[in-house]
Each structure stands twice: as structure tokens, then as C-alpha cells.
Amino acid sequence: MGCNDHDLKTLLPHLAELVIEQVLDRGSSVRIQARCSAATVGCPGCGHSSSRVHSRYERVLSDAPLGGRETLICLRVRRFFCRNARCSRKTFVEQVPGLTVAHARRSLLLRGLLEAIALALGGRPGARMARQLANAVSRMTLLRLIRAMPVPVPLTAEVLGVDDFAFRKGMRYGSILVDMDTRRPIDLLPDRLGDSFAAWLREHPGTEVICRDRAGGYAEGGRVGAPEAIQVADRWHLLFNLTSAVDRAVRAHRACLRDQPAHEAVAQPAPPSSELEGRRAEQTRQRHAEVHALWAKGVGTTAICRALNLDHKTVLRYARAASAEDLLAPLSPRASMLDQHIDYLIQRWQEGCTNARWLTWELRERGYRGSERSVRRLVSAWRTGTTPPNAAPVATPKPRQVTGWIIRPAHQRSEQEQADLSRILERCPELNMIDRLVSDFAGMLRHRQGQHLDTWIATAHASEIAQMSAFADGLVKDYDAVRNGLTLEWSSGAVEGAVCRLKAIKRQMYGRANFDLLRRRVLLGP
């Protein structure tokens, strides 16, 4: 190659303590012949210097690529006698600081480069990247490099954030701890139990503030492990819990969402109590209590399915319901594909066409994609006179849409959404009360006015709306943390960001995210 000793050391400053003898260009690689220049070398066992050479040999080191080509350092090293009679070593091999360590086949510079690639990309993606950088290594080598890296000792965080993540959703969970001042993860726990969190807090005293979600395990662990710490409930989770309560209330008042003609918009009597009693109602209440008892202990949905012999979707439905009465509430008919064609069907009925099959053919040409059975049921109801064909239904907003209108601030709603919501609130006093409660709670949350929490809880209980009363009861159980969350500046946003990054790392590793490997990548990664 056309470069001298000085130029090469400028490109590779970690070779400054070597004497470069020759540089060979081998096409796809560069070989550097070098030797050590120190006259005396200290023994790594006792520290005594020695100049008596025992023997010499050549070791080959892979180094960082030079000019996009693989770089090999053929280093001639010496073995020395140790002159200290008390030293357990009789001979030792000289090492070049910053370049070599005992038994290594790669330079420290290349090892650091591969470690950075492994932490950022993992096994297979890291191996592909290393191959592009002219340093071909296997995926298992990169994983071994990660596992060989020391785990940093967790430091005490004055403001600590904690949240859970899933190793396998519904089955096994862990916990991530974040320093809220630096917004960096400081440790991972192999489970989400309160006892494990409390033990960690006792081993790392000094935490003054704990930012968490509404999970009871972290609340109990914080009380036991750091009783003097201030617990802060995350505002996003408070708003999420409120949204869930509002969604259940809106679904319970589904009948109030439909626009009706003035002569038909009369109050419907409440369902008789006999519909909410009986064997199935009792079984629903019992299952709801069992699911929530296990859920409160931190048991995953899959374990609950096995313990209670229930389907996964059934367990989720019971877990999301604040009370068993929400599951027993009667539901009004849902929207149908025929709703947008009712006007045409009424017109054809009045013209004398009453054949369901013929009407279905005509609807197919208009874009109807439903079944003939639905048309036949509607025509049969018209024919028997149970439902007169004289009023076409108006498009009804979905409960999720109405929930979004109520949760969003008024200035974020469109004119049409505001008009539709106003009509719904005029028809239903309970939804109108819910809208006022949501507006007041959102004001407390956005402006951090926790001093009004007692008044809001009292108003929610006085409204006698089951869903809002259940939400208020949950606030009372976690009163101190909720009030701190509505008053202090701390929130769990940084924790949620760390969890998202952890999920990306876990999915990137294609099932190889064992706890030790995942912990190192999260704590040591960029």
C-alpha cells in the first residue's frame, strides 16, 4: 500500500505504541505486520518490570476495517520471565494497552464496534450489518458479546417510574424501572409482583417519588418498599380509565343515540327486575367477582382462562366491565346493512312489491352486500303488521364515536359532531350529566387542579350513574396517588416511551429475548 508508518498511525491511532514493519494489500483485506517496542514490561500478576525475554510468537488480531476492507494485525509479541520469586507467574505475555487483551482474537476497537452493533440490532440483523462493514461474524457471536458485557449497577433514582411489559402477552410479565430525571431505564424485574418491586426499593433506598399506573401491585410494593415516597398516578391512565367508564355508560344508553320522530320519541320503561335476576344473572355476577379477584392480584388473562375454564374473550369482557350489572344491561338492536336502503324498500313496498327475493335482487344492484334472510325478516315484520313501514331509521352514531365526542374538548369537535352530541344529550339526562362530569375531570387533569377532586367524587356519587360511581370508587381506593397525579408535574410519559422501545427490541429478537439478554440490550443500548 502507498502509506508510511506515520500515515497509518494517523488513520489508526490505537497502533501508536507499535512499530509497523510492513503493510500488505491482499485485495479484500489489509495485513499489517507489527511488533511491540517497549524495552521493559510489567508483570500482570505482581507488577514488577522485566526485560528478560523467554520467547516470541505471532498472534493475528482482527481490527476495525480500513478503507472498507478487512484489517488484520499480525502482531509479534514476546513472553517475559517474571523476576519476582514470590509471584505465582513464571512467565507472562506482553499486552498492548488499548489494542489487545489476553486470548482475544479481536482488537478492543473492533470489539467495541461489534458490541455497539449487537446492542442496536441484535443477532441476525447485526450479523448482516457487520458483514457490510467487512467484519463477518455470526449471530451467536454477537449474542455472546452482549452476554459478556457487565450489567450496570442500578443507581437510586429520586423520581422513579415503573410499568409492566409482556414477555408473552396474557401469560408472563416483567417490570421496567426508569429514572424520570434522565428518562433512561435503570433496571428490569422478571415479574410484576408487588413483593419484587418492594424488595428492589429496599435494596436501593432514596426514592422520593414513584410514578406508576393504576395497578394495585405497584401501589402495594411502593407502600411496603418505600413508605415515605410520594406515589403519583399517571394522568394518561386516569384519562384512559375515565374513557372506559364513559364507553360503558354510553353502551348502556345505546337506545338514546338513535334519532326518532317527535311522535315516537317517548321514554321507554325500565326493564323489569326479573330480566336481571335468575340463574344466569347470578352466574354472571359470580364469574365477574372471580375474574376481578384474580385480575387484582396481577394474574394474566391466560392463567385466568385456565383457572376458571373460560374463553379468552370472555375473560376480557368480564375484566373490562366495572360491575356485573354492565354485563346484564339489555342492549338495543345494532345497526344493519339495510338501514341505508330502508327508504327504497318502503317505496317499493308502497308500490306493491312484497317479494323478499325480488327486493334482494334490486338491492344487490344498489350495492347491498347483506343476506336475503335479513330482507325476508324485515318484510315479514311489515307483512304481519308488528313494524309499520312508515318511518325510515336515521343513521345512528356508534357508541365509540359518542364516547370520543364526550372525551374530546369542545373546541376539538367539528360542527356536525357538536350538533349530533347536543341532540343526544338533550334526549338523555344521564349522558348529559356524564358530559359535565367528564368536562370537570378533564379540566382538573389538564390544569392540575387536584384540590377539586373531593368535590368531583361527591358529584359523581350523587349522579347515581353506575359507571361513574364505579370510577369514583376506584379513585377513592387510590386517593393519594390520584390527587398527586392531578397536582404534581410528574407523569409516566417517559416510562411509556421506554416500554415502547423495549417492545421493539423484544420483537426484533424473534423469540430470543430471554431476560438476561433483554435486560442488557435495554440497559446498555443506545
mmCIF file with all atom_site columns, all heavy atoms in Angstrom, residues 449-462:
data_model
loop_
_atom_site.group_PDB
_atom_site.id
_atom_site.type_symbol
_atom_site.label_atom_id
_atom_site.label_alt_id
_atom_site.label_comp_id
_atom_site.label_asym_id
_atom_site.label_entity_id
_atom_site.label_seq_id
_atom_site.pdbx_PDB_ins_code
_atom_site.Cartn_x
_atom_site.Cartn_y
_atom_site.Cartn_z
_atom_site.occupancy
_atom_site.B_iso_or_equiv
_atom_site.pdbx_formal_charge
_atom_site.auth_seq_id
_atom_site.auth_comp_id
_atom_site.auth_asym_id
_atom_site.auth_atom_id
_atom_site.pdbx_PDB_model_num
ATOM 1   N N   . GLN A 1 449 ? -55.495 20.604 38.878 1.00 0.00 ? 449 GLN A N   1
ATOM 2   C CA  . GLN A 1 449 ? -56.265 21.202 39.975 1.00 0.00 ? 449 GLN A CA  1
ATOM 3   C C   . GLN A 1 449 ? -56.793 20.086 40.877 1.00 0.00 ? 449 GLN A C   1
ATOM 4   O O   . GLN A 1 449 ? -57.993 19.836 40.964 1.00 0.00 ? 449 GLN A O   1
ATOM 5   C CB  . GLN A 1 449 ? -57.405 22.052 39.422 1.00 0.00 ? 449 GLN A CB  1
ATOM 6   C CG  . GLN A 1 449 ? -56.925 23.234 38.576 1.00 0.00 ? 449 GLN A CG  1
ATOM 7   C CD  . GLN A 1 449 ? -58.066 23.961 37.905 1.00 0.00 ? 449 GLN A CD  1
ATOM 8   O OE1 . GLN A 1 449 ? -59.176 23.440 37.775 1.00 0.00 ? 449 GLN A OE1 1
ATOM 9   N NE2 . GLN A 1 449 ? -57.807 25.182 37.453 1.00 0.00 ? 449 GLN A NE2 1
ATOM 10  N N   . GLY A 1 450 ? -55.865 19.381 41.513 1.00 0.00 ? 450 GLY A N   1
ATOM 11  C CA  . GLY A 1 450 ? -56.256 18.258 42.363 1.00 0.00 ? 450 GLY A CA  1
ATOM 12  C C   . GLY A 1 450 ? -57.045 18.642 43.583 1.00 0.00 ? 450 GLY A C   1
ATOM 13  O O   . GLY A 1 450 ? -57.672 17.783 44.220 1.00 0.00 ? 450 GLY A O   1
ATOM 14  N N   . GLN A 1 451 ? -57.084 19.935 43.948 1.00 0.00 ? 451 GLN A N   1
ATOM 15  C CA  . GLN A 1 451 ? -57.826 20.351 45.132 1.00 0.00 ? 451 GLN A CA  1
ATOM 16  C C   . GLN A 1 451 ? -59.335 20.196 44.944 1.00 0.00 ? 451 GLN A C   1
ATOM 17  O O   . GLN A 1 451 ? -60.094 20.211 45.923 1.00 0.00 ? 451 GLN A O   1
ATOM 18  C CB  . GLN A 1 451 ? -57.495 21.807 45.488 1.00 0.00 ? 451 GLN A CB  1
ATOM 19  C CG  . GLN A 1 451 ? -57.956 22.833 44.464 1.00 0.00 ? 451 GLN A CG  1
ATOM 20  C CD  . GLN A 1 451 ? -56.923 23.072 43.381 1.00 0.00 ? 451 GLN A CD  1
ATOM 21  O OE1 . GLN A 1 451 ? -56.004 22.268 43.207 1.00 0.00 ? 451 GLN A OE1 1
ATOM 22  N NE2 . GLN A 1 451 ? -57.056 24.181 42.664 1.00 0.00 ? 451 GLN A NE2 1
ATOM 23  N N   . HIS A 1 452 ? -59.800 20.039 43.687 1.00 0.00 ? 452 HIS A N   1
ATOM 24  C CA  . HIS A 1 452 ? -61.230 19.876 43.422 1.00 0.00 ? 452 HIS A CA  1
ATOM 25  C C   . HIS A 1 452 ? -61.642 18.411 43.339 1.00 0.00 ? 452 HIS A C   1
ATOM 26  O O   . HIS A 1 452 ? -62.790 18.122 42.984 1.00 0.00 ? 452 HIS A O   1
ATOM 27  C CB  . HIS A 1 452 ? -61.610 20.581 42.126 1.00 0.00 ? 452 HIS A CB  1
ATOM 28  C CG  . HIS A 1 452 ? -61.277 22.041 42.101 1.00 0.00 ? 452 HIS A CG  1
ATOM 29  N ND1 . HIS A 1 452 ? -61.604 22.897 43.134 1.00 0.00 ? 452 HIS A ND1 1
ATOM 30  C CD2 . HIS A 1 452 ? -60.639 22.799 41.163 1.00 0.00 ? 452 HIS A CD2 1
ATOM 31  C CE1 . HIS A 1 452 ? -61.192 24.127 42.843 1.00 0.00 ? 452 HIS A CE1 1
ATOM 32  N NE2 . HIS A 1 452 ? -60.590 24.092 41.655 1.00 0.00 ? 452 HIS A NE2 1
ATOM 33  N N   . LEU A 1 453 ? -60.743 17.488 43.653 1.00 0.00 ? 453 LEU A N   1
ATOM 34  C CA  . LEU A 1 453 ? -61.045 16.067 43.483 1.00 0.00 ? 453 LEU A CA  1
ATOM 35  C C   . LEU A 1 453 ? -62.173 15.612 44.403 1.00 0.00 ? 453 LEU A C   1
ATOM 36  O O   . LEU A 1 453 ? -63.064 14.866 43.984 1.00 0.00 ? 453 LEU A O   1
ATOM 37  C CB  . LEU A 1 453 ? -59.789 15.236 43.731 1.00 0.00 ? 453 LEU A CB  1
ATOM 38  C CG  . LEU A 1 453 ? -59.944 13.712 43.588 1.00 0.00 ? 453 LEU A CG  1
ATOM 39  C CD1 . LEU A 1 453 ? -60.390 13.354 42.174 1.00 0.00 ? 453 LEU A CD1 1
ATOM 40  C CD2 . LEU A 1 453 ? -58.641 13.004 43.937 1.00 0.00 ? 453 LEU A CD2 1
ATOM 41  N N   . ASP A 1 454 ? -62.175 16.065 45.668 1.00 0.00 ? 454 ASP A N   1
ATOM 42  C CA  . ASP A 1 454 ? -63.222 15.642 46.604 1.00 0.00 ? 454 ASP A CA  1
ATOM 43  C C   . ASP A 1 454 ? -64.598 16.055 46.103 1.00 0.00 ? 454 ASP A C   1
ATOM 44  O O   . ASP A 1 454 ? -65.571 15.278 46.175 1.00 0.00 ? 454 ASP A O   1
ATOM 45  C CB  . ASP A 1 454 ? -62.959 16.245 47.987 1.00 0.00 ? 454 ASP A CB  1
ATOM 46  C CG  . ASP A 1 454 ? -61.689 15.687 48.615 1.00 0.00 ? 454 ASP A CG  1
ATOM 47  O OD1 . ASP A 1 454 ? -61.291 14.571 48.248 1.00 0.00 ? 454 ASP A OD1 1
ATOM 48  O OD2 . ASP A 1 454 ? -61.090 16.377 49.461 1.00 0.00 ? 454 ASP A OD2 1
ATOM 49  N N   . THR A 1 455 ? -64.699 17.271 45.606 1.00 0.00 ? 455 THR A N   1
ATOM 50  C CA  . THR A 1 455 ? -65.988 17.744 45.095 1.00 0.00 ? 455 THR A CA  1
ATOM 51  C C   . THR A 1 455 ? -66.432 16.919 43.895 1.00 0.00 ? 455 THR A C   1
ATOM 52  O O   . THR A 1 455 ? -67.615 16.572 43.761 1.00 0.00 ? 455 THR A O   1
ATOM 53  C CB  . THR A 1 455 ? -65.873 19.227 44.701 1.00 0.00 ? 455 THR A CB  1
ATOM 54  O OG1 . THR A 1 455 ? -65.431 19.979 45.828 1.00 0.00 ? 455 THR A OG1 1
ATOM 55  C CG2 . THR A 1 455 ? -67.213 19.766 44.224 1.00 0.00 ? 455 THR A CG2 1
ATOM 56  N N   . TRP A 1 456 ? -65.498 16.596 43.020 1.00 0.00 ? 456 TRP A N   1
ATOM 57  C CA  . TRP A 1 456 ? -65.870 15.814 41.839 1.00 0.00 ? 456 TRP A CA  1
ATOM 58  C C   . TRP A 1 456 ? -66.339 14.420 42.232 1.00 0.00 ? 456 TRP A C   1
ATOM 59  O O   . TRP A 1 456 ? -67.321 13.914 41.667 1.00 0.00 ? 456 TRP A O   1
ATOM 60  C CB  . TRP A 1 456 ? -64.666 15.712 40.902 1.00 0.00 ? 456 TRP A CB  1
ATOM 61  C CG  . TRP A 1 456 ? -65.025 15.159 39.551 1.00 0.00 ? 456 TRP A CG  1
ATOM 62  C CD1 . TRP A 1 456 ? -65.386 15.850 38.442 1.00 0.00 ? 456 TRP A CD1 1
ATOM 63  C CD2 . TRP A 1 456 ? -65.092 13.766 39.198 1.00 0.00 ? 456 TRP A CD2 1
ATOM 64  N NE1 . TRP A 1 456 ? -65.658 14.997 37.416 1.00 0.00 ? 456 TRP A NE1 1
ATOM 65  C CE2 . TRP A 1 456 ? -65.492 13.703 37.838 1.00 0.00 ? 456 TRP A CE2 1
ATOM 66  C CE3 . TRP A 1 456 ? -64.857 12.588 39.886 1.00 0.00 ? 456 TRP A CE3 1
ATOM 67  C CZ2 . TRP A 1 456 ? -65.660 12.500 37.170 1.00 0.00 ? 456 TRP A CZ2 1
ATOM 68  C CZ3 . TRP A 1 456 ? -65.030 11.384 39.220 1.00 0.00 ? 456 TRP A CZ3 1
ATOM 69  C CH2 . TRP A 1 456 ? -65.419 11.341 37.883 1.00 0.00 ? 456 TRP A CH2 1
ATOM 70  N N   . ILE A 1 457 ? -65.652 13.775 43.160 1.00 0.00 ? 457 ILE A N   1
ATOM 71  C CA  . ILE A 1 457 ? -66.058 12.429 43.596 1.00 0.00 ? 457 ILE A CA  1
ATOM 72  C C   . ILE A 1 457 ? -67.454 12.466 44.201 1.00 0.00 ? 457 ILE A C   1
ATOM 73  O O   . ILE A 1 457 ? -68.299 11.592 43.932 1.00 0.00 ? 457 ILE A O   1
ATOM 74  C CB  . ILE A 1 457 ? -65.032 11.866 44.588 1.00 0.00 ? 457 ILE A CB  1
ATOM 75  C CG1 . ILE A 1 457 ? -63.695 11.587 43.872 1.00 0.00 ? 457 ILE A CG1 1
ATOM 76  C CG2 . ILE A 1 457 ? -65.545 10.600 45.241 1.00 0.00 ? 457 ILE A CG2 1
ATOM 77  C CD1 . ILE A 1 457 ? -62.591 11.114 44.790 1.00 0.00 ? 457 ILE A CD1 1
ATOM 78  N N   . ALA A 1 458 ? -67.735 13.468 45.015 1.00 0.00 ? 458 ALA A N   1
ATOM 79  C CA  . ALA A 1 458 ? -69.064 13.592 45.620 1.00 0.00 ? 458 ALA A CA  1
ATOM 80  C C   . ALA A 1 458 ? -70.127 13.789 44.543 1.00 0.00 ? 458 ALA A C   1
ATOM 81  O O   . ALA A 1 458 ? -71.228 13.199 44.615 1.00 0.00 ? 458 ALA A O   1
ATOM 82  C CB  . ALA A 1 458 ? -69.079 14.747 46.613 1.00 0.00 ? 458 ALA A CB  1
ATOM 83  N N   . THR A 1 459 ? -69.829 14.585 43.532 1.00 0.00 ? 459 THR A N   1
ATOM 84  C CA  . THR A 1 459 ? -70.797 14.814 42.456 1.00 0.00 ? 459 THR A CA  1
ATOM 85  C C   . THR A 1 459 ? -71.025 13.539 41.658 1.00 0.00 ? 459 THR A C   1
ATOM 86  O O   . THR A 1 459 ? -72.159 13.239 41.260 1.00 0.00 ? 459 THR A O   1
ATOM 87  C CB  . THR A 1 459 ? -70.282 15.933 41.521 1.00 0.00 ? 459 THR A CB  1
ATOM 88  O OG1 . THR A 1 459 ? -70.007 17.105 42.295 1.00 0.00 ? 459 THR A OG1 1
ATOM 89  C CG2 . THR A 1 459 ? -71.316 16.262 40.466 1.00 0.00 ? 459 THR A CG2 1
ATOM 90  N N   . ALA A 1 460 ? -69.966 12.771 41.407 1.00 0.00 ? 460 ALA A N   1
ATOM 91  C CA  . ALA A 1 460 ? -70.120 11.518 40.665 1.00 0.00 ? 460 ALA A CA  1
ATOM 92  C C   . ALA A 1 460 ? -70.975 10.521 41.424 1.00 0.00 ? 460 ALA A C   1
ATOM 93  O O   . ALA A 1 460 ? -71.813 9.823  40.833 1.00 0.00 ? 460 ALA A O   1
ATOM 94  C CB  . ALA A 1 460 ? -68.744 10.923 40.373 1.00 0.00 ? 460 ALA A CB  1
ATOM 95  N N   . HIS A 1 461 ? -70.788 10.431 42.739 1.00 0.00 ? 461 HIS A N   1
ATOM 96  C CA  . HIS A 1 461 ? -71.627 9.538  43.533 1.00 0.00 ? 461 HIS A CA  1
ATOM 97  C C   . HIS A 1 461 ? -73.071 10.019 43.573 1.00 0.00 ? 461 HIS A C   1
ATOM 98  O O   . HIS A 1 461 ? -74.007 9.206  43.529 1.00 0.00 ? 461 HIS A O   1
ATOM 99  C CB  . HIS A 1 461 ? -71.075 9.430  44.957 1.00 0.00 ? 461 HIS A CB  1
ATOM 100 C CG  . HIS A 1 461 ? -69.869 8.540  45.069 1.00 0.00 ? 461 HIS A CG  1
ATOM 101 N ND1 . HIS A 1 461 ? -68.791 8.821  45.877 1.00 0.00 ? 461 HIS A ND1 1
ATOM 102 C CD2 . HIS A 1 461 ? -69.560 7.366  44.451 1.00 0.00 ? 461 HIS A CD2 1
ATOM 103 C CE1 . HIS A 1 461 ? -67.886 7.866  45.773 1.00 0.00 ? 461 HIS A CE1 1
ATOM 104 N NE2 . HIS A 1 461 ? -68.339 6.972  44.899 1.00 0.00 ? 461 HIS A NE2 1
ATOM 105 N N   . ALA A 1 462 ? -73.267 11.348 43.662 1.00 0.00 ? 462 ALA A N   1
ATOM 106 C CA  . ALA A 1 462 ? -74.630 11.891 43.720 1.00 0.00 ? 462 ALA A CA  1
ATOM 107 C C   . ALA A 1 462 ? -75.376 11.702 42.411 1.00 0.00 ? 462 ALA A C   1
ATOM 108 O O   . ALA A 1 462 ? -76.619 11.706 42.396 1.00 0.00 ? 462 ALA A O   1
ATOM 109 C CB  . ALA A 1 462 ? -74.578 13.378 44.084 1.00 0.00 ? 462 ALA A CB  1
#
